[in-house]
Structure formats: C-alpha cells, structure tokens
Short mmCIF file of all heavy atoms in Angstrom, two decimals:
data_model
loop_
_atom_site.label_atom_id
_atom_site.label_comp_id
_atom_site.label_asym_id
_atom_site.label_seq_id
_atom_site.Cartn_x
_atom_site.Cartn_y
_atom_site.Cartn_z
N SER W 1 318.96 -169.22 205.52
CA SER W 1 318.79 -170.62 205.28
C SER W 1 320.06 -171.18 204.69
O SER W 1 320.03 -171.88 203.77
CB SER W 1 317.58 -171.05 204.62
OG SER W 1 316.49 -170.57 205.18
N LEU W 2 321.24 -170.78 205.19
CA LEU W 2 322.45 -171.10 204.54
C LEU W 2 322.80 -172.60 204.68
O LEU W 2 322.30 -173.30 205.69
CB LEU W 2 323.66 -170.31 205.38
CG LEU W 2 323.73 -168.86 204.82
CD1 LEU W 2 324.61 -168.06 205.85
CD2 LEU W 2 324.36 -168.77 203.44
N LYS W 3 323.44 -173.08 203.67
CA LYS W 3 323.76 -174.57 203.54
C LYS W 3 325.25 -174.73 203.46
O LYS W 3 325.93 -173.83 203.03
CB LYS W 3 323.08 -175.20 202.29
CG LYS W 3 321.57 -175.00 202.30
CD LYS W 3 321.07 -175.59 200.90
CE LYS W 3 319.54 -175.32 200.80
NZ LYS W 3 319.05 -175.86 199.45
N PRO W 4 325.81 -175.77 203.86
CA PRO W 4 327.23 -176.07 203.71
C PRO W 4 327.72 -175.89 202.23
O PRO W 4 328.85 -175.27 202.06
CB PRO W 4 327.35 -177.55 204.18
CG PRO W 4 326.38 -177.75 205.10
CD PRO W 4 325.09 -177.01 204.55
N GLU W 5 326.94 -176.15 201.26
CA GLU W 5 327.32 -175.90 199.87
C GLU W 5 327.43 -174.39 199.47
O GLU W 5 327.95 -174.08 198.41
CB GLU W 5 326.46 -176.72 198.95
CG GLU W 5 324.98 -176.46 199.09
CD GLU W 5 324.27 -177.51 199.91
OE1 GLU W 5 324.91 -178.01 200.99
OE2 GLU W 5 323.18 -177.99 199.60
N ASP W 6 326.99 -173.61 200.34
CA ASP W 6 327.19 -172.12 200.12
C ASP W 6 328.60 -171.67 200.50
O ASP W 6 328.87 -170.50 200.29
CB ASP W 6 326.17 -171.34 200.91
CG ASP W 6 324.71 -171.53 200.42
OD1 ASP W 6 324.50 -171.60 199.22
OD2 ASP W 6 323.79 -171.68 201.31
N THR W 7 329.31 -172.58 201.20
CA THR W 7 330.66 -172.12 201.61
C THR W 7 331.52 -171.79 200.32
O THR W 7 331.61 -172.54 199.35
CB THR W 7 331.32 -173.32 202.28
OG1 THR W 7 330.64 -173.62 203.51
CG2 THR W 7 332.78 -172.99 202.66
N ALA W 8 332.18 -170.60 200.34
CA ALA W 8 332.93 -170.13 199.22
C ALA W 8 333.52 -168.69 199.63
O ALA W 8 333.02 -168.10 200.66
CB ALA W 8 332.03 -170.09 198.02
N VAL W 9 334.29 -168.32 198.76
CA VAL W 9 334.74 -166.85 198.83
C VAL W 9 333.75 -166.02 197.94
O VAL W 9 333.55 -166.42 196.82
CB VAL W 9 336.14 -166.62 198.36
CG1 VAL W 9 336.53 -165.20 198.37
CG2 VAL W 9 337.15 -167.50 199.23
N TYR W 10 333.13 -164.96 198.53
CA TYR W 10 332.14 -164.14 197.89
C TYR W 10 332.82 -162.91 197.39
O TYR W 10 333.46 -162.30 198.26
CB TYR W 10 330.99 -163.93 198.76
CG TYR W 10 330.08 -165.11 198.92
CD1 TYR W 10 330.48 -166.27 199.59
CD2 TYR W 10 328.84 -165.14 198.28
CE1 TYR W 10 329.68 -167.38 199.71
CE2 TYR W 10 327.93 -166.29 198.39
CZ TYR W 10 328.41 -167.36 199.14
OH TYR W 10 327.62 -168.43 199.25
N TYR W 11 332.61 -162.61 196.20
CA TYR W 11 333.27 -161.38 195.48
C TYR W 11 332.21 -160.42 195.06
O TYR W 11 331.22 -160.79 194.37
CB TYR W 11 334.09 -161.73 194.31
CG TYR W 11 335.30 -162.64 194.70
CD1 TYR W 11 335.19 -164.06 194.62
CD2 TYR W 11 336.53 -162.06 194.96
CE1 TYR W 11 336.27 -164.85 194.94
CE2 TYR W 11 337.63 -162.90 195.30
CZ TYR W 11 337.44 -164.30 195.33
OH TYR W 11 338.56 -165.04 195.45
N CYS W 12 332.36 -159.21 195.40
CA CYS W 12 331.51 -158.11 194.97
C CYS W 12 332.03 -157.73 193.53
O CYS W 12 333.17 -157.65 193.29
CB CYS W 12 331.55 -156.97 195.87
SG CYS W 12 330.54 -155.54 195.27
N ASN W 13 331.15 -157.41 192.68
CA ASN W 13 331.34 -157.10 191.24
C ASN W 13 330.55 -155.94 190.88
O ASN W 13 329.33 -155.83 191.19
CB ASN W 13 331.15 -158.24 190.41
CG ASN W 13 331.41 -157.96 188.90
OD1 ASN W 13 330.41 -157.81 188.05
ND2 ASN W 13 332.61 -157.65 188.48
N ALA W 14 331.08 -155.00 190.14
CA ALA W 14 330.25 -153.84 189.60
C ALA W 14 330.75 -153.34 188.35
O ALA W 14 332.00 -153.32 188.06
CB ALA W 14 330.26 -152.72 190.65
N TYR W 15 329.83 -152.86 187.47
CA TYR W 15 330.19 -152.14 186.27
C TYR W 15 329.96 -150.71 186.46
O TYR W 15 328.80 -150.27 186.74
CB TYR W 15 329.26 -152.70 185.14
CG TYR W 15 329.65 -153.99 184.59
CD1 TYR W 15 329.00 -155.11 185.12
CD2 TYR W 15 330.54 -154.23 183.56
CE1 TYR W 15 329.42 -156.39 184.75
CE2 TYR W 15 330.97 -155.44 183.14
CZ TYR W 15 330.38 -156.57 183.78
OH TYR W 15 330.68 -157.81 183.28
N ILE W 16 331.08 -149.85 186.40
CA ILE W 16 330.98 -148.54 186.78
C ILE W 16 331.65 -147.61 185.80
O ILE W 16 332.60 -147.97 185.12
CB ILE W 16 331.78 -148.29 188.16
CG1 ILE W 16 331.11 -149.08 189.21
CG2 ILE W 16 331.81 -146.84 188.58
CD1 ILE W 16 331.92 -149.17 190.59
N GLN W 17 330.89 -146.52 185.53
CA GLN W 17 331.41 -145.49 184.59
C GLN W 17 331.98 -144.39 185.50
O GLN W 17 331.39 -143.87 186.42
CB GLN W 17 330.37 -144.89 183.68
CG GLN W 17 329.87 -145.81 182.64
CD GLN W 17 328.84 -145.15 181.65
OE1 GLN W 17 327.92 -145.74 181.16
NE2 GLN W 17 329.00 -143.82 181.35
N THR W 18 333.21 -144.06 185.21
CA THR W 18 333.96 -142.97 185.96
C THR W 18 333.77 -141.58 185.38
O THR W 18 334.10 -140.53 185.97
CB THR W 18 335.36 -143.31 186.09
OG1 THR W 18 336.04 -143.45 184.83
CG2 THR W 18 335.51 -144.63 186.92
N GLU W 19 333.32 -141.60 184.01
CA GLU W 19 333.20 -140.29 183.40
C GLU W 19 331.80 -140.34 182.54
O GLU W 19 331.24 -141.49 182.52
CB GLU W 19 334.33 -139.84 182.38
CG GLU W 19 335.62 -139.91 183.07
CD GLU W 19 335.86 -138.69 183.90
OE1 GLU W 19 334.99 -137.64 183.81
OE2 GLU W 19 336.74 -138.55 184.76
N GLU W 20 331.45 -139.26 181.91
CA GLU W 20 330.22 -139.24 181.31
C GLU W 20 330.16 -140.14 180.01
O GLU W 20 329.08 -140.61 179.59
CB GLU W 20 329.76 -137.85 180.82
CG GLU W 20 328.41 -137.62 180.43
CD GLU W 20 327.91 -136.16 180.35
OE1 GLU W 20 328.73 -135.24 180.86
OE2 GLU W 20 326.87 -135.90 179.97
N VAL W 21 331.31 -140.44 179.40
CA VAL W 21 331.39 -141.22 178.19
C VAL W 21 331.39 -142.73 178.50
O VAL W 21 331.93 -143.11 179.49
CB VAL W 21 332.56 -140.88 177.41
CG1 VAL W 21 332.45 -139.46 176.79
CG2 VAL W 21 333.89 -140.97 178.15
N VAL W 22 330.62 -143.49 177.68
CA VAL W 22 330.56 -144.88 177.92
C VAL W 22 331.89 -145.58 177.95
O VAL W 22 332.12 -146.62 178.67
CB VAL W 22 329.58 -145.49 176.91
CG1 VAL W 22 329.45 -147.01 176.98
CG2 VAL W 22 328.16 -144.86 176.96
N SER W 23 332.83 -145.13 177.18
CA SER W 23 334.15 -145.78 177.14
C SER W 23 334.86 -145.86 178.46
O SER W 23 335.81 -146.67 178.58
CB SER W 23 335.02 -145.04 176.17
OG SER W 23 335.27 -143.68 176.53
N THR W 24 334.43 -145.17 179.43
CA THR W 24 334.98 -145.18 180.79
C THR W 24 334.36 -146.32 181.74
O THR W 24 334.77 -146.45 182.75
CB THR W 24 334.86 -143.89 181.50
OG1 THR W 24 333.51 -143.51 181.72
CG2 THR W 24 335.50 -142.70 180.75
N LYS W 25 333.39 -147.03 181.04
CA LYS W 25 332.77 -148.16 181.82
C LYS W 25 333.68 -149.33 182.05
O LYS W 25 334.27 -149.81 181.02
CB LYS W 25 331.48 -148.54 181.06
CG LYS W 25 330.74 -149.65 181.81
CD LYS W 25 329.45 -149.98 181.07
CE LYS W 25 328.64 -151.03 181.78
NZ LYS W 25 327.48 -151.50 180.87
N ASN W 26 333.92 -149.72 183.21
CA ASN W 26 334.80 -150.86 183.56
C ASN W 26 334.21 -151.83 184.56
O ASN W 26 333.32 -151.29 185.29
CB ASN W 26 336.14 -150.37 183.99
CG ASN W 26 337.07 -149.75 182.90
OD1 ASN W 26 337.44 -150.51 181.90
ND2 ASN W 26 337.32 -148.50 182.84
N ASN W 27 334.80 -152.93 184.58
CA ASN W 27 334.34 -153.98 185.56
C ASN W 27 335.30 -153.96 186.70
O ASN W 27 336.49 -154.09 186.57
CB ASN W 27 334.28 -155.38 184.82
CG ASN W 27 333.77 -156.45 185.65
OD1 ASN W 27 333.96 -157.65 185.52
ND2 ASN W 27 332.85 -156.11 186.61
N TYR W 28 334.69 -153.85 188.01
CA TYR W 28 335.45 -153.89 189.15
C TYR W 28 335.19 -155.02 190.07
O TYR W 28 334.01 -155.50 190.07
CB TYR W 28 335.39 -152.52 189.82
CG TYR W 28 335.78 -151.33 189.08
CD1 TYR W 28 335.02 -150.63 188.20
CD2 TYR W 28 337.06 -150.82 189.14
CE1 TYR W 28 335.31 -149.58 187.41
CE2 TYR W 28 337.53 -149.79 188.46
CZ TYR W 28 336.61 -149.16 187.62
OH TYR W 28 337.10 -148.12 186.90
N TRP W 29 336.15 -155.49 190.79
CA TRP W 29 336.00 -156.57 191.78
C TRP W 29 336.42 -156.23 193.11
O TRP W 29 337.44 -155.45 193.32
CB TRP W 29 336.77 -157.86 191.26
CG TRP W 29 336.23 -158.38 190.00
CD1 TRP W 29 336.71 -158.20 188.74
CD2 TRP W 29 335.30 -159.40 190.04
NE1 TRP W 29 335.97 -159.01 187.89
CE2 TRP W 29 335.12 -159.75 188.68
CE3 TRP W 29 334.61 -160.23 190.91
CZ2 TRP W 29 334.29 -160.77 188.22
CZ3 TRP W 29 333.69 -161.16 190.49
CH2 TRP W 29 333.57 -161.42 189.16
N GLY W 30 335.80 -156.63 194.18
CA GLY W 30 336.26 -156.57 195.49
C GLY W 30 337.24 -157.60 195.79
O GLY W 30 337.59 -158.44 195.00
N GLN W 31 337.79 -157.49 197.00
CA GLN W 31 338.85 -158.45 197.40
C GLN W 31 338.44 -159.91 197.85
O GLN W 31 339.15 -160.82 197.85
CB GLN W 31 339.65 -157.90 198.58
CG GLN W 31 339.00 -157.95 199.93
CD GLN W 31 337.80 -156.91 200.07
OE1 GLN W 31 337.53 -156.08 199.30
NE2 GLN W 31 337.25 -157.06 201.27
N GLY W 32 337.16 -160.00 198.01
CA GLY W 32 336.51 -161.26 198.45
C GLY W 32 336.42 -161.39 199.94
O GLY W 32 337.25 -160.87 200.62
N THR W 33 335.33 -162.04 200.36
CA THR W 33 335.18 -162.31 201.81
C THR W 33 334.71 -163.77 201.92
O THR W 33 333.93 -164.30 201.16
CB THR W 33 334.09 -161.38 202.39
OG1 THR W 33 334.02 -161.57 203.81
CG2 THR W 33 332.70 -161.46 201.80
#
C-alpha cells in the first residue's frame, strides 16, 4: 500500500559484533536504494 510520501532513499542499518568481545560492536550502513 505504498504512498507517494514513502518516496525516499532507504538505508539498511545493523549493529554487528565482529568478535566475541562487546567492544567490537559497530553500526554499519548500506549504500541506500
């Protein structure tokens, strides 16, 4: 049920840990679509 006001660039976002320790948790972004 998309509306014209939904028009935008949409970005994926994730909080990801790359190692077992919490200090490796970082915020990552996609390039946008």
